[in-house]
Amino acid sequence: MINGERLIERPLRWGMVGGGRTGQVGYKHRTGAQRDGTYRLLAGAFDLDAERGRDFGTRLGVDAERCYADYRALIAGETGREDGVEVVSIATPNFTHYEITKACLEAGLNVVCEKPLFFTVAECDEIAALAERKGLVVGVTYGFTGHPLVRQMAAMVAKGMLGEIRLVDLRYTHGFNAGDDVGAGEAVRWRTNPKTAGPTFVLGDIGTHLYYLSEVVLPHLKVERLLCDRKAFIPTRAPLEDHATVLMHYDNGARGHLWVSSVDAGNMGSQRYRFVGSKASVEWSDSHPDQLVYEVQGEPNRILHHGMPYLEDESLAVDRMGGLHTEGLGDSWANIYLWIAQAIDATRRGDEAFLKIHRYPDIHAGTEGVRWLENCVRSADAGSAWVDFR
Ligand code: NAI
């Protein structure tokens, strides 16, 4: 169980780029990072609007002189100080991730970056090599995968409780973009423009969460081929998609089905994950993250609750609230940030034994997300053809 005791030598000096007052995801970073006192927010370039960013930063408790106009000023200002930040989170639109990550790493700063990590696998490989050379960590905020019941699903699959995996059914849909984009805010405008969003809209925006979580639960399975069909129901969003279906063939013969949509009008169910084996299935949704449905063929269905002693050790080890009490998205993000902090701490200490077994969404997880997107786009652009995964 995680109880807030510090698990690393000392708190990390932390800065943020983006995630300002009007940003959607910034608070998730702050609530995750600051939960256990593992990170101290000391600097930021929080906003494209420098004045608003400074005002916001000071209200978060950051010194005015350490609220910078942009990321370049942040890097220059912080690397010139003895107490300068050592890790920077990037919570800005997709097209900025690569250049900001690169600049931070070159300046000797660890990075926590939003998904989709970058636009291309080539960029990911270049950054992975740079991080390796510098001995620095790049973590990726796949924020849903810190839930203890995600670890529970992974442990059950690893123990063979489901049997051989046959079906993978993944869905992340909502209806927030069911209408057109006339008068849409900044967060919709950049997401629907390939220059700022990258080669995809919903596939990268929400589909990468599905894909990474499935990798956490099924680390032994690899996608061999896939077929992607994508469509812009609102034509002004083309060539980007507001809806997509992906079929996947895994190397053990399993079949995967995934759909992502932001035009699923009225749906507030968000994400659903179902893993079906030859003996049993598990199903989990972020709408009811405390509960895991466990169905054994021929037996009454069971609902497993987080924090209960009947769960696997891997799940109980990352539980925060204990059974009976709600464990939600903020707790999940806190785990992700903690695991990244432990990776930074262990890297710094050269603790190879710890790093070998430590699991967290790292640069390779971010890369695999981008690789999956590249394959989806290649398939869709070929008229929804089956393509070998590469
Ligand atoms: P947003 O448009 O709501 O907010 C972006 C924020 O970054 C704003 O505060 C803006 O002023 C600031 N900003 C933009 N460019 C900047 C720059 N060059 N320097 C400094 N600040 C800058 O965007 P949102 O929804 O917060 O998304 C940001 C990133 O987070 C995206 O990559 C998105 O895919 C990802 N995201 C991830 C989520 C998750 O669950 N992991 C959830 C929502 C978004």
Side-chain angles (χ1 to χ4, degrees), residues 357-377:
I357 53 165
H358 184 55
R359 284 182 293 162
Y360 72 101
D362 59 7
I363 179 87
H364 303 294
T367 304
E368 288 316 301
V370 175
R371 190 187 312 284
W372 179 74
L373 292 174
E374 280 192 351
N375 280 277
C376 288
V377 170

Side-chain angles (χ1 to χ4, degrees), residues 57 110 113 227 382:
N110 296 283
C113 188
L227 178 154

